[in-house]
Amino acid sequence: AEDLPFCSMLGMGQRMWLKETLEESDAKVKIVVSGSVLLSNPTWAGSEGKCSGDDWDCYNVEQKWLMNLLTSPAAAGRSGCQPIVLTGDYHFGDIKMACSGPTTAYGSDLGIDHTSERRCVLQHMASGMSHTTAVPHSTCEHPEYLKDHSGMREEAGQDECSLVAGPNFGEMEYAADGRTLSLRSRGEEGGILSEIVLDVEDKCKIIGGKTFHLG
């Protein structure tokens, strides 16, 4: 963007709009949809390094700004839930969570290791077009980028190999009574491949779900 001294996806205008919108909204749950992956694999670098071309790791200054915004008290919903990120793009599905604080492996890379107050951002990634890079016979070790080296899947109650390699489609269900929010990935036949259930009345803490494993 021309109005910033570093590479930017958003530019100053959109950054300020996003900040004001999140902080002024009185919604119980806030959803941020990003076409580029926010929580990828920041502690692992392949042949191209940490940046694969169009994800937020390629815009680290702005990524850190965004992570600090999403983990800020002002961005939380009136229920205390931090914004939830929905994304795709990587041709597989998974659930990750990044928490602020100085004790995480990914905190320095994402710029959220400066505070002792633990606030977490959940990301649900689903991708209907998956056969090109994550074919059904993939394993967690091959291709290696499928394995989570950062610990963010474990933060979300999964393990380092918890992912969906085949075609998957994201689904979000907000319970009629307003108490729970479920994030799911469904397969080609409509069956549930993964699920995580959040308690909206208790800062969106994880209270249930289904762990899936590849490899």
Side-chain angles (χ1 to χ4, degrees), residues 29 106 186 204:
V29 178
Y106 52 79
R186 292 186 179 271
C204 284

CSV table of all heavy atoms in Angstrom, one decimal, residues 29 106 186 204:
chain,number,residue,atom,x,y,z
A,29,VAL,N,-20.3,-12.6,19.5
A,29,VAL,CA,-19.2,-13.3,18.8
A,29,VAL,C,-18.9,-12.5,17.5
A,29,VAL,O,-19.8,-12.0,16.8
A,29,VAL,CB,-19.6,-14.7,18.4
A,29,VAL,CG1,-18.6,-15.4,17.6
A,29,VAL,CG2,-20.0,-15.5,19.6
A,106,TYR,N,5.2,-20.0,19.1
A,106,TYR,CA,4.9,-19.1,18.0
A,106,TYR,C,4.8,-17.7,18.4
A,106,TYR,O,4.6,-16.8,17.5
A,106,TYR,CB,3.6,-19.6,17.4
A,106,TYR,CG,2.5,-19.7,18.4
A,106,TYR,CD1,1.8,-18.6,18.9
A,106,TYR,CD2,2.1,-21.0,18.9
A,106,TYR,CE1,0.8,-18.7,19.8
A,106,TYR,CE2,1.1,-21.1,19.9
A,106,TYR,CZ,0.5,-20.0,20.3
A,106,TYR,OH,-0.5,-20.1,21.3
A,186,ARG,N,-17.1,-30.6,6.9
A,186,ARG,CA,-17.9,-31.8,6.3
A,186,ARG,C,-17.2,-32.3,5.0
A,186,ARG,O,-16.6,-31.5,4.3
A,186,ARG,CB,-19.3,-31.4,6.0
A,186,ARG,CG,-20.1,-31.1,7.3
A,186,ARG,CD,-21.6,-30.9,7.0
A,186,ARG,NE,-22.4,-30.7,8.2
A,186,ARG,CZ,-23.0,-31.6,8.9
A,186,ARG,NH1,-22.8,-32.9,8.6
A,186,ARG,NH2,-23.7,-31.3,10.0
A,204,CYS,N,-15.8,-18.2,25.0
A,204,CYS,CA,-15.6,-19.1,23.9
A,204,CYS,C,-14.6,-20.2,24.2
A,204,CYS,O,-13.8,-20.6,23.3
A,204,CYS,CB,-15.3,-18.4,22.6
A,204,CYS,SG,-16.7,-17.6,21.8
